Amino acid sequence: MLPSSTAHCRLAPPFPRRLLPSASEPLRRRPLILLRRSSSYPDRRRLLVRAIDAAQPYDLEASLALRHLRSNSLKIAVIGFGNFAQFLAKTFVAHGHDVLAHSMQSDRSSAAAYLGVQYFPDPNDLFEQHPDVVLLSTSILSTPQVLSVLPLHRLRRSTLFVDVLSVKEFPKHLMLKYLPREFDILCTHPMFGPESGKDSWVGLNFMYDKVRLWEEDERIERCEKFLNIFSAEGCRMVEMSCADHDKYAAGSQFITHTVGRVLEKFGLEESPIGTKGYEKLIDLVENTKGDSFELYYGLFLYNKNAMEQLERLDLAFESVKKALFGRLHEIYREQLLEDAGDGIRRTMHRAEQNRRREVAQKLLHNGGQTPPNLSSETKAW
Amino acid sequence: MLPSSTAHCRLAPPFPRRLLPSASEPLRRRPLILLRRSSSYPDRRRLLVRAIDAAQPYDLEASLALRHLRSNSLKIAVIGFGNFAQFLAKTFVAHGHDVLAHSMQSDRSSAAAYLGVQYFPDPNDLFEQHPDVVLLSTSILSTPQVLSVLPLHRLRRSTLFVDVLSVKEFPKHLMLKYLPREFDILCTHPMFGPESGKDSWVGLNFMYDKVRLWEEDERIERCEKFLNIFSAEGCRMVEMSCADHDKYAAGSQFITHTVGRVLEKFGLEESPIGTKGYEKLIDLVENTKGDSFELYYGLFLYNKNAMEQLERLDLAFESVKKALFGRLHEIYREQLLEDAGDGIRRTMHRAEQNRRREVAQKLLHNGGQTPPNLSSETKAW
């Protein structure tokens, strides 16, 4: 039996998953079922079944399921419809939510149509649809400009604003500054992307911070419904303050991007004698090279902890180089000293040779002189 | 049926693997089967079976297998019995070879006993055993000293010297310098270690260079038998010159070690919001941190290509930093210019305001003066 209400169901799948189309399944139009009035028998309806394997209207279970799905679905407006937003939208649609989109920079209508998303070139039209959730998926750098021009007054006063930017303190402050105080604010960061999350989201981290949530059952439920999309997909849900996120992300995500970019610049080549460790480096470059310099620069500029971590990485590199060159210098110095020591030994050896030669000369010639045998001395050295 | 000879079997398993104990299986003593002469019946032998699950002497297949195994086994003397040598020795023993060992620096007799390896504290005793193969598994730095003091004259003139050092040109030249010219020389580098090869060697690279191999069937066969250990374990066999090895390894293995060491110095911490890419970095550190600084330093000092690659990595890091700071500088400069521009616009705006105010004053007061409304101007900014 289906549950009659999910008001108190927190971070649990809003609906049995087997009834939902999978996120990885391509979107298909529902099979067409037409009811036509026959002209000869005006009062009798003739059922024309065009797709016999479809759920029929008299199928009670399917009809209840659909009603339940609709009652749980959110109207989500996505602002900024780039790769990452499209990647998320696919799953939103698969969960039965109505997804609408608008992009400030370029026309994304065909991508939207492919994903079953309604596209609005004008944000006024989009906001007049009164979405439950507005999802900001803009680039970090463009967010202030986008927020300052959105026609926020066209939205209902009860709207949940969510962002999915890779830094968190910055959009939090921007949203607190620009959004009417009646709006709810949820800052989130899915710690994955189209590459790392292409097969499954199971076990991948999803960070969120309920920055401002008015204490009304409906608003609380709406926020949970949105978070449920990620928990139902198997994400590891991490509730954390935006400040803590930025601290951790500078030491992990920003450093990963930096190492990936350095190795991309270095130009790792396929090696016929690569090690497992080397394969990991190549994987890392593959993983980060899809991300734009804009994103990387955003991580650096809009996370106040990034500079400190970059300096630490610099110091670590310097220290490794120092250890190598220091050791080289040590060996070189030892060799110099050894050579100097050899010089002393050589002088002593020569003195001893001379003494012995003098003794031999005396013995051979009864005290007479012989010319010194230079060649034998040269040979000895 | 078992093959009667493997003389022409190149890089193929020397023996059906199912008859060999697995490399990962702990070593066990063979079950003891004793044939005792009975005192009352001097001409009849009584079979005393101490381990009933052992293969019996009348088991023809087992007896043939054992004979075949012995005919194929090599006597391998390992010089330097550290972690890596022990890791290799385990597989040599599992393949039915007789493994003997000596260590110059410390007593490794207990490790040898555990692995079923005969340990010799004196290299003279070891070489008097006339091993078929002498495997050098010394540290790169100590190899010249070790080679110069080994009692090579105790070996048979037909001996195969193999090294498994992580650089190749250096030991090649050392062996050509120190070893009698009757000895065969095989330079190899298994591109894995106790960590990366702990579960299986399947698909892992094994580089080798037949530096000097006298054209005698027995010597050629011996070399193939040794290489067969690795090919039978599933290694990807890569025949390559020592010079090429050093060129490739500087760009892959040395750089992997460098990045691993830099990140170890940096101190990657467990992150509650780690990404998949970050996990790869942590794996990399795990993979390289077991290796000594001696090895890393050896890779640097004794591979002439390493310095160039280190410089390239340095340049790549500098270029990434330059891109970040260059962009920062650009934005800062734009802001400065904008501020300057603002100054100009502000002056123009003020002039326009004044003009309008003057017009308004004239209209309101028919040419009379009113005090300027400063607060409205301040608000406008």
Coordinates of all heavy atoms in Angstrom, one line a residue, chain A residues 191 196 205 236 240 245 248 252 255-256 262 265-266 272-274 276-278 280-281 283-284 294 296-297 301 307 309 312 314 316-317 319-321 324-325 327-328, chain B residues 191 196 205 236 245 248 252 256 262 265-266 272-274 276-278 280-281 283-284 294 296-297 301 307 309 312 314 316-317 319-321 324-325 327-328 331:
Chain A
M191 N 29.5 17.2 -4.1 CA 31.0 17.1 -4.3 C 31.3 16.1 -5.5 O 32.1 15.3 -5.4 CB 31.6 16.6 -3.0 CG 31.3 17.3 -1.8 SD 31.7 19.1 -1.8 CE 33.5 19.0 -2.0
S196 N 32.6 12.4 -12.5 CA 32.7 11.5 -11.3 C 31.4 10.9 -10.9 O 31.4 9.8 -10.3 CB 33.4 12.2 -10.1 OG 32.7 13.4 -9.9
N205 N 29.7 12.5 -1.7 CA 29.3 13.5 -0.7 C 28.4 14.6 -1.2 O 28.6 15.2 -2.3 CB 30.6 14.1 -0.1 CG 31.3 13.1 0.7 OD1 30.7 12.2 1.4 ND2 32.7 13.2 0.7
R236 N 26.0 10.7 0.3 CA 26.3 10.8 1.7 C 26.0 12.2 2.1 O 26.7 13.2 1.6 CB 27.8 10.5 1.9 CG 28.1 9.9 3.3 CD 29.6 9.7 3.4 NE 30.0 10.2 4.7 CZ 30.7 11.4 4.9 NH1 31.0 12.1 3.8 NH2 31.0 11.8 6.1
M240 N 26.7 20.9 7.1 CA 27.9 21.6 7.5 C 27.8 23.1 7.2 O 27.1 23.5 6.3 CB 29.1 21.0 6.7 CG 30.4 21.6 6.9 SD 31.6 20.9 5.7 CE 32.1 19.5 6.5
H245 N 32.7 24.3 5.2 CA 32.9 23.8 3.9 C 34.1 24.4 3.2 O 34.9 23.8 2.6 CB 31.6 24.1 3.0 CG 31.9 23.9 1.5 ND1 32.5 24.8 0.7 CD2 31.6 22.8 0.8 CE1 32.6 24.3 -0.5 NE2 32.1 23.1 -0.5
Y248 N 37.5 23.1 4.5 CA 37.8 21.8 4.1 C 38.1 21.8 2.6 O 39.0 21.1 2.1 CB 36.6 20.8 4.4 CG 36.6 20.3 5.8 CD1 35.5 20.6 6.7 CD2 37.6 19.6 6.3 CE1 35.5 20.2 8.0 CE2 37.6 19.1 7.7 CZ 36.5 19.4 8.5 OH 36.5 19.0 9.8
S252 N 41.1 20.3 0.1 CA 40.9 19.1 -0.7 C 40.6 19.4 -2.1 O 41.5 19.2 -3.0 CB 39.8 18.2 -0.1 OG 38.6 18.9 0.1
I255 N 43.1 21.9 -3.8 CA 44.4 21.3 -4.0 C 44.4 20.2 -5.1 O 45.3 20.1 -5.9 CB 45.0 20.8 -2.6 CG1 45.3 21.9 -1.7 CG2 46.1 19.8 -2.8 CD1 46.4 22.8 -2.2
T256 N 43.3 19.5 -5.1 CA 43.1 18.5 -6.2 C 43.2 19.1 -7.5 O 43.8 18.7 -8.5 CB 41.8 17.7 -6.0 OG1 41.8 17.2 -4.6 CG2 41.7 16.5 -6.9
V262 N 48.5 21.4 -12.7 CA 49.9 21.4 -12.8 C 50.3 20.3 -13.7 O 51.1 20.4 -14.6 CB 50.6 21.3 -11.4 CG1 52.1 21.1 -11.5 CG2 50.4 22.6 -10.6
K265 N 49.5 20.9 -17.3 CA 50.5 21.8 -17.9 C 51.8 21.0 -18.1 O 52.5 21.2 -19.2 CB 50.9 22.9 -16.9 CG 49.8 24.0 -16.9 CD 50.2 25.2 -17.8 CE 49.1 26.2 -17.9 NZ 49.0 26.9 -19.1
F266 N 52.2 20.1 -17.2 CA 53.4 19.3 -17.3 C 53.3 18.4 -18.5 O 54.3 18.3 -19.3 CB 53.5 18.5 -16.0 CG 54.7 17.5 -16.1 CD1 56.0 17.9 -15.7 CD2 54.5 16.2 -16.4 CE1 57.1 17.1 -15.8 CE2 55.6 15.3 -16.5 CZ 56.9 15.7 -16.1
P272 N 54.9 3.3 -21.7 CA 54.8 1.8 -21.8 C 55.2 1.1 -20.5 O 55.0 -0.1 -20.4 CB 55.8 1.5 -23.0 CG 56.8 2.7 -23.0 CD 56.0 3.8 -22.5
I273 N 55.9 1.8 -19.6 CA 56.3 1.2 -18.3 C 55.7 2.0 -17.2 O 56.4 2.2 -16.2 CB 57.8 1.1 -18.2 CG1 58.5 2.5 -18.5 CG2 58.4 0.0 -19.2 CD1 59.9 2.6 -18.1
G274 N 54.4 2.4 -17.3 CA 53.8 3.1 -16.2 C 53.5 2.2 -15.0 O 53.4 1.0 -15.1
K276 N 51.2 1.7 -11.2 CA 49.9 2.0 -10.8 C 49.7 3.4 -10.3 O 48.7 4.1 -10.5 CB 49.5 1.0 -9.6 CG 48.9 -0.3 -10.1 CD 48.2 -1.0 -9.0 CE 47.5 -2.3 -9.4 NZ 46.9 -3.0 -8.3
G277 N 50.7 3.9 -9.6 CA 50.7 5.3 -9.1 C 50.6 6.3 -10.2 O 49.9 7.3 -10.1
Y278 N 51.3 6.0 -11.3 CA 51.3 6.9 -12.5 C 49.9 6.9 -13.1 O 49.4 8.0 -13.5 CB 52.3 6.4 -13.5 CG 52.5 7.4 -14.6 CD1 53.0 8.7 -14.4 CD2 52.3 7.0 -15.9 CE1 53.1 9.6 -15.5 CE2 52.5 7.9 -17.0 CZ 52.9 9.1 -16.8 OH 53.1 10.0 -17.8
K280 N 47.2 6.6 -11.5 CA 46.4 7.5 -10.7 C 46.5 9.0 -11.0 O 45.6 9.7 -11.0 CB 46.7 7.3 -9.2 CG 46.1 6.0 -8.6 CD 46.3 5.9 -7.1 CE 46.4 4.4 -6.7 NZ 45.2 3.7 -7.0
L281 N 47.8 9.3 -11.4 CA 48.0 10.7 -11.8 C 47.3 11.0 -13.1 O 46.7 12.1 -13.2 CB 49.5 11.0 -12.0 CG 50.5 11.1 -10.8 CD1 51.7 11.8 -11.3 CD2 49.8 11.9 -9.7
D283 N 44.6 9.5 -14.2 CA 43.2 9.6 -13.9 C 42.8 11.0 -13.3 O 41.8 11.5 -13.6 CB 42.8 8.6 -12.8 CG 42.7 7.2 -13.3 OD1 42.8 7.0 -14.6 OD2 42.6 6.2 -12.6
L284 N 43.7 11.5 -12.5 CA 43.4 12.8 -11.8 C 43.3 13.9 -12.9 O 42.4 14.7 -12.8 CB 44.6 13.1 -10.8 CG 44.5 14.4 -10.1 CD1 43.3 14.4 -9.1 CD2 45.8 14.8 -9.5
E294 N 37.7 29.1 -15.3 CA 36.8 30.0 -14.5 C 36.5 29.4 -13.2 O 36.5 30.1 -12.2 CB 35.5 30.2 -15.3 CG 35.6 31.0 -16.6 CD 36.2 32.4 -16.3 OE1 35.7 33.2 -15.5 OE2 37.3 32.6 -16.8
Y296 N 38.2 27.0 -11.6 CA 39.4 26.9 -10.8 C 39.7 28.3 -10.2 O 40.0 28.4 -9.0 CB 40.6 26.4 -11.6 CG 41.9 26.4 -10.9 CD1 42.0 25.6 -9.7 CD2 43.0 27.1 -11.4 CE1 43.3 25.6 -9.1 CE2 44.2 27.0 -10.7 CZ 44.3 26.3 -9.6 OH 45.5 26.3 -8.9
Y297 N 39.6 29.3 -11.0 CA 39.9 30.7 -10.6 C 38.9 31.1 -9.5 O 39.3 31.7 -8.5 CB 39.8 31.6 -11.7 CG 40.2 33.0 -11.4 CD1 41.5 33.3 -11.0 CD2 39.3 34.0 -11.4 CE1 41.9 34.5 -10.6 CE2 39.7 35.3 -11.0 CZ 41.0 35.5 -10.6 OH 41.3 36.8 -10.2
L301 N 39.8 32.5 -5.9 CA 39.5 33.9 -5.5 C 38.4 34.0 -4.5 O 38.5 34.9 -3.6 CB 39.1 34.7 -6.8 CG 39.0 36.2 -6.7 CD1 40.4 36.7 -6.4 CD2 38.5 36.8 -8.0
M307 N 44.3 30.7 -0.7 CA 45.7 31.2 -0.9 C 46.6 30.6 0.1 O 47.8 30.2 -0.2 CB 45.6 32.7 -0.6 CG 46.9 33.4 -0.6 SD 47.7 33.3 -2.3 CE 47.3 35.0 -2.9
Q309 N 46.4 27.6 1.4 CA 46.7 26.2 1.0 C 47.6 26.2 -0.2 O 48.5 25.3 -0.3 CB 45.4 25.5 0.6 CG 44.4 25.4 1.8 CD 44.9 24.5 2.9 OE1 45.8 23.7 2.8 NE2 44.4 24.8 4.1
R312 N 51.0 26.6 1.2 CA 51.5 25.4 1.8 C 52.0 24.4 0.8 O 53.0 23.7 1.0 CB 50.3 24.8 2.6 CG 50.1 25.4 4.0 CD 49.1 24.6 4.8 NE 49.5 23.2 5.0 CZ 48.7 22.2 5.0 NH1 47.4 22.4 4.8 NH2 49.1 21.0 5.1
D314 N 53.2 25.1 -2.1 CA 54.4 25.7 -2.6 C 55.6 25.4 -1.7 O 56.6 24.9 -2.1 CB 54.2 27.2 -2.7 CG 55.2 27.8 -3.7 OD1 55.9 27.1 -4.4 OD2 55.2 29.1 -3.8
A316 N 55.7 22.9 0.4 CA 55.9 21.4 0.4 C 56.8 21.1 -0.8 O 57.8 20.3 -0.7 CB 54.6 20.7 0.3
F317 N 56.5 21.7 -2.0 CA 57.3 21.4 -3.2 C 58.8 21.9 -3.0 O 59.7 21.2 -3.3 CB 56.7 22.1 -4.4 CG 57.2 21.7 -5.7 CD1 57.9 20.5 -5.9 CD2 57.0 22.5 -6.8 CE1 58.4 20.1 -7.1 CE2 57.5 22.1 -8.1 CZ 58.2 20.9 -8.2
S319 N 60.3 22.2 -0.2 CA 61.0 21.4 0.8 C 61.5 20.1 0.2 O 62.6 19.6 0.5 CB 60.1 21.2 2.0 OG 59.9 19.9 2.3
V320 N 60.7 19.5 -0.7 CA 61.1 18.3 -1.4 C 62.4 18.6 -2.3 O 63.3 17.9 -2.3 CB 60.0 17.7 -2.3 CG1 60.5 16.6 -3.2 CG2 58.9 17.1 -1.3
K321 N 62.3 19.7 -3.0 CA 63.5 20.1 -3.9 C 64.7 20.3 -3.0 O 65.8 19.9 -3.4 CB 63.1 21.3 -4.7 CG 62.2 21.1 -5.9 CD 62.1 22.2 -6.8 CE 61.3 23.4 -6.2 NZ 61.2 24.6 -7.0
L324 N 66.3 17.2 -2.0 CA 67.1 16.6 -3.1 C 68.4 17.3 -3.3 O 69.5 16.7 -3.3 CB 66.3 16.6 -4.4 CG 65.2 15.6 -4.6 CD1 64.6 15.8 -6.0 CD2 65.7 14.2 -4.4
F325 N 68.3 18.6 -3.4 CA 69.5 19.4 -3.7 C 70.5 19.5 -2.5 O 71.7 19.5 -2.7 CB 69.2 20.8 -4.2 CG 68.5 20.8 -5.5 CD1 67.2 21.3 -5.7 CD2 69.0 20.2 -6.6 CE1 66.5 21.3 -6.9 CE2 68.4 20.1 -7.8 CZ 67.1 20.6 -8.0
R327 N 71.0 17.1 -0.4 CA 71.7 15.8 -0.3 C 72.8 15.8 -1.4 O 73.9 15.3 -1.2 CB 70.7 14.7 -0.6 CG 71.2 13.4 -0.5 CD 71.7 13.0 0.9 NE 72.3 11.7 0.9 CZ 71.6 10.6 1.1 NH1 70.3 10.6 1.2 NH2 72.2 9.4 1.0
L328 N 72.5 16.4 -2.5 CA 73.4 16.5 -3.6 C 74.6 17.3 -3.2 O 75.8 16.9 -3.4 CB 72.7 17.2 -4.8 CG 73.3 17.1 -6.2 CD1 73.3 15.6 -6.7 CD2 72.5 17.9 -7.2
Chain B
M191 N 57.8 -2.9 -12.6 CA 57.2 -1.6 -12.3 C 56.1 -1.7 -11.2 O 55.1 -1.1 -11.3 CB 56.6 -1.0 -13.6 CG 57.5 -0.9 -14.8 SD 59.1 0.0 -14.6 CE 58.5 1.6 -14.2
S196 N 51.7 -2.2 -4.6 CA 50.9 -2.2 -5.8 C 50.7 -3.6 -6.3 O 49.8 -3.9 -7.1 CB 51.5 -1.3 -6.9 OG 52.8 -1.6 -7.1
N205 N 53.5 -3.9 -15.4 CA 54.6 -3.9 -16.4 C 55.9 -4.4 -15.8 O 56.2 -4.2 -14.6 CB 54.8 -2.4 -16.8 CG 53.7 -1.9 -17.7 OD1 53.1 -2.7 -18.5 ND2 53.3 -0.6 -17.5
R236 N 52.9 -7.7 -17.8 CA 53.1 -7.2 -19.2 C 54.6 -7.1 -19.5 O 55.2 -6.2 -18.9 CB 52.3 -5.9 -19.4 CG 51.8 -5.6 -20.7 CD 51.1 -4.3 -20.8 NE 51.6 -3.6 -22.0 CZ 52.5 -2.6 -22.0 NH1 53.0 -2.2 -20.9 NH2 52.9 -2.1 -23.1
H245 N 64.3 3.1 -20.9 CA 63.7 3.0 -19.6 C 63.8 4.3 -18.8 O 62.9 4.8 -18.3 CB 64.2 1.8 -18.8 CG 63.8 1.8 -17.4 ND1 64.5 2.6 -16.4 CD2 62.8 1.2 -16.8 CE1 63.9 2.4 -15.3 NE2 62.9 1.6 -15.4
Y248 N 61.7 7.2 -20.1 CA 60.3 7.1 -19.7 C 60.0 7.2 -18.2 O 59.1 7.8 -17.7 CB 59.7 5.7 -20.2 CG 59.4 5.7 -21.7 CD1 60.0 4.8 -22.5 CD2 58.4 6.5 -22.2 CE1 59.7 4.8 -23.9 CE2 58.1 6.5 -23.5 CZ 58.7 5.6 -24.4 OH 58.4 5.6 -25.7
S252 N 57.5 9.4 -15.7 CA 56.4 8.8 -15.0 C 56.7 8.5 -13.6 O 56.2 9.1 -12.7 CB 56.0 7.6 -15.8 OG 57.0 6.6 -15.9
T256 N 55.7 10.7 -10.4 CA 54.8 10.2 -9.5 C 55.3 10.3 -8.0 O 54.6 10.7 -7.1 CB 54.4 8.7 -9.8 OG1 54.1 8.7 -11.2 CG2 53.3 8.2 -9.0
V262 N 55.5 15.5 -2.4 CA 55.1 16.9 -2.1 C 53.8 16.8 -1.3 O 53.6 17.5 -0.4 CB 54.9 17.6 -3.5 CG1 54.1 18.9 -3.3 CG2 56.2 17.9 -4.1
K265 N 54.3 15.8 2.3 CA 54.8 17.0 3.0 C 53.7 18.0 3.3 O 53.6 18.6 4.3 CB 55.9 17.8 2.2 CG 57.2 17.1 2.2 CD 58.1 17.7 3.3 CE 59.5 16.9 3.3 NZ 60.1 17.0 4.6
F266 N 52.8 18.2 2.3 CA 51.7 19.1 2.4 C 50.8 18.6 3.5 O 50.3 19.4 4.3 CB 50.9 19.1 1.1 CG 49.7 19.9 1.1 CD1 49.7 21.3 0.9 CD2 48.4 19.3 1.3 CE1 48.5 22.1 0.9 CE2 47.3 20.1 1.3 CZ 47.3 21.4 1.2
P272 N 35.6 15.4 5.3 CA 34.2 14.9 5.3 C 33.5 15.2 4.0 O 32.5 14.6 3.7 CB 33.6 15.6 6.4 CG 34.4 16.8 6.7 CD 35.8 16.5 6.2
I273 N 34.1 16.1 3.2 CA 33.5 16.4 1.9 C 34.5 16.2 0.7 O 34.5 17.0 -0.2 CB 32.9 17.9 1.9 CG1 34.0 18.8 2.3 CG2 31.7 18.0 2.7 CD1 33.7 20.3 2.1
G274 N 35.2 15.1 0.8 CA 36.2 14.8 -0.2 C 35.5 14.4 -1.5 O 34.4 13.9 -1.5
K276 N 36.0 12.5 -5.5 CA 36.7 11.3 -6.0 C 38.2 11.6 -6.4 O 39.0 10.8 -6.2 CB 36.0 10.8 -7.3 CG 34.9 9.8 -7.0 CD 34.5 9.0 -8.2 CE 33.5 8.0 -8.0 NZ 33.1 7.2 -9.2
G277 N 38.4 12.8 -7.0 CA 39.7 13.2 -7.3 C 40.6 13.3 -6.1 O 41.8 12.9 -6.2
Y278 N 40.1 13.8 -5.0 CA 40.8 13.9 -3.8 C 41.2 12.5 -3.3 O 42.3 12.3 -2.8 CB 40.0 14.7 -2.7 CG 40.8 15.0 -1.5 CD1 41.9 15.8 -1.5 CD2 40.4 14.6 -0.2 CE1 42.6 16.2 -0.4 CE2 41.1 14.9 0.9 CZ 42.2 15.7 0.8 OH 42.9 16.0 2.0
K280 N 41.9 10.0 -5.1 CA 43.0 9.6 -5.9 C 44.3 10.1 -5.3 O 45.4 9.5 -5.3 CB 42.8 10.0 -7.3 CG 41.8 9.1 -8.1 CD 41.8 9.4 -9.5 CE 40.4 9.1 -10.1 NZ 40.0 7.7 -10.0
L281 N 44.3 11.4 -4.9 CA 45.5 12.0 -4.3 C 45.9 11.2 -3.1 O 47.1 11.0 -2.8 CB 45.3 13.5 -3.9 CG 45.2 14.5 -5.0 CD1 45.4 15.9 -4.4 CD2 46.3 14.3 -6.1
D283 N 45.2 8.2 -2.3 CA 45.7 6.8 -2.7 C 47.2 7.0 -3.2 O 48.0 6.1 -2.9 CB 44.9 6.3 -3.9 CG 43.6 5.8 -3.5 OD1 43.3 5.7 -2.3 OD2 42.8 5.4 -4.4
L284 N 47.5 8.0 -3.9 CA 48.8 8.2 -4.4 C 49.8 8.3 -3.3 O 50.9 7.7 -3.3 CB 48.8 9.5 -5.3 CG 50.2 9.9 -5.8 CD1 50.6 8.9 -6.9 CD2 50.2 11.3 -6.4
E294 N 65.8 7.2 0.3 CA 67.0 6.7 -0.5 C 66.6 6.4 -1.9 O 67.3 6.7 -2.8 CB 67.5 5.5 0.2 CG 68.2 5.7 1.5 CD 69.3 6.7 1.5 OE1 70.3 6.5 0.7 OE2 69.2 7.8 2.1
Y296 N 64.0 7.4 -3.6 CA 63.6 8.6 -4.3 C 64.8 9.4 -4.8 O 64.9 9.9 -5.9 CB 62.7 9.5 -3.5 CG 62.3 10.8 -4.1 CD1 61.6 10.9 -5.3 CD2 62.6 12.0 -3.4 CE1 61.3 12.1 -5.9 CE2 62.3 13.2 -4.0 CZ 61.6 13.3 -5.2 OH 61.3 14.5 -5.8
Y297 N 65.8 9.5 -3.8 CA 67.0 10.2 -4.1 C 67.8 9.5 -5.3 O 68.4 10.2 -6.1 CB 67.9 10.4 -2.9 CG 69.1 11.2 -3.1 CD1 69.0 12.5 -3.4 CD2 70.3 10.6 -3.1 CE1 70.1 13.3 -3.6 CE2 71.5 11.4 -3.3 CZ 71.3 12.7 -3.6 OH 72.4 13.5 -3.8
L301 N 69.2 11.1 -8.6 CA 70.6 11.3 -8.8 C 71.1 10.4 -10.0 O 72.0 10.8 -10.7 CB 71.4 11.0 -7.6 CG 72.8 11.4 -7.5 CD1 72.9 13.0 -7.7 CD2 73.5 11.0 -6.2
M307 N 66.4 15.4 -13.6 CA 66.5 16.8 -13.3 C 65.7 17.7 -14.3 O 65.0 18.6 -13.9 CB 68.0 17.3 -13.4 CG 68.3 18.7 -13.2 SD 67.8 19.2 -11.5 CE 69.5 19.3 -10.8
Q309 N 63.0 16.7 -15.8 CA 61.6 16.5 -15.5 C 61.2 17.3 -14.3 O 60.1 17.9 -14.2 CB 61.3 15.0 -15.3 CG 61.5 14.2 -16.6 CD 60.7 14.6 -17.8 OE1 59.6 15.1 -17.6 NE2 61.1 14.3 -18.9
R312 N 60.7 20.8 -15.4 CA 59.5 20.9 -16.1 C 58.3 21.0 -15.1 O 57.4 21.8 -15.4 CB 59.3 19.7 -17.1 CG 60.0 19.9 -18.4 CD 59.6 18.7 -19.3 NE 58.2 18.7 -19.6 CZ 57.5 17.6 -19.7 NH1 58.0 16.4 -19.6 NH2 56.2 17.7 -20.0
D314 N 58.4 22.0 -12.1 CA 58.5 23.3 -11.4 C 57.9 24.4 -12.3 O 57.1 25.3 -11.9 CB 60.0 23.6 -11.2 CG 60.2 24.6 -10.1 OD1 59.3 25.0 -9.4 OD2 61.4 25.0 -9.8
A316 N 55.7 24.0 -14.6 CA 54.2 23.9 -14.7 C 53.5 24.5 -13.5 O 52.5 25.2 -13.7 CB 53.9 22.4 -14.8
F317 N 54.1 24.3 -12.3 CA 53.5 24.8 -11.1 C 53.6 26.4 -11.2 O 52.6 27.0 -10.9 CB 54.3 24.3 -9.9 CG 53.7 24.5 -8.6 CD1 52.3 24.8 -8.5 CD2 54.4 24.5 -7.4 CE1 51.7 25.1 -7.2 CE2 53.8 24.8 -6.2 CZ 52.4 25.0 -6.1
S319 N 53.6 28.2 -13.8 CA 52.7 28.7 -14.8 C 51.3 28.7 -14.3 O 50.5 29.6 -14.6 CB 52.9 27.9 -16.1 OG 51.7 27.3 -16.5
V320 N 50.9 27.7 -13.5 CA 49.5 27.7 -12.9 C 49.4 28.9 -11.9 O 48.4 29.6 -11.9 CB 49.2 26.3 -12.2 CG1 48.0 26.4 -11.3 CG2 49.1 25.2 -13.2
K321 N 50.4 29.1 -11.1 CA 50.4 30.2 -10.1 C 50.3 31.5 -10.9 O 49.6 32.4 -10.5 CB 51.6 30.2 -9.2 CG 51.5 29.1 -8.1 CD 52.6 29.3 -7.1 CE 54.0 28.9 -7.6 NZ 55.0 29.0 -6.7
L324 N 46.9 32.2 -12.1 CA 46.0 32.7 -11.0 C 46.3 34.2 -10.6 O 45.4 35.0 -10.6 CB 46.2 31.8 -9.7 CG 45.6 30.4 -9.7 CD1 45.8 29.8 -8.4 CD2 44.1 30.5 -10.0
F325 N 47.6 34.5 -10.4 CA 47.9 35.8 -9.9 C 47.8 36.8 -11.0 O 47.4 38.0 -10.8 CB 49.3 35.8 -9.3 CG 49.4 35.0 -8.1 CD1 50.3 33.9 -7.9 CD2 48.5 35.2 -7.0 CE1 50.3 33.2 -6.8 CE2 48.6 34.5 -5.8 CZ 49.5 33.4 -5.7
R327 N 45.5 36.8 -13.4 CA 44.1 37.1 -13.5 C 43.7 38.0 -12.4 O 42.9 38.9 -12.5 CB 43.4 35.8 -13.4 CG 41.9 35.9 -13.6 CD 41.5 36.4 -15.0 NE 40.1 36.6 -15.1 CZ 39.2 35.7 -15.4 NH1 39.6 34.5 -15.7 NH2 37.9 36.0 -15.4
L328 N 44.3 37.7 -11.2 CA 44.0 38.6 -10.0 C 44.4 40.0 -10.3 O 43.7 41.0 -10.0 CB 44.7 38.0 -8.8 CG 44.3 38.4 -7.4 CD1 42.9 37.9 -7.1 CD2 45.3 37.8 -6.4
I331 N 42.1 41.8 -12.7 CA 40.8 42.2 -12.1 C 41.0 43.5 -11.2 O 40.3 44.4 -11.3 CB 40.2 41.1 -11.2 CG1 39.6 40.0 -12.1 CG2 39.1 41.6 -10.3 CD1 38.9 38.9 -11.4

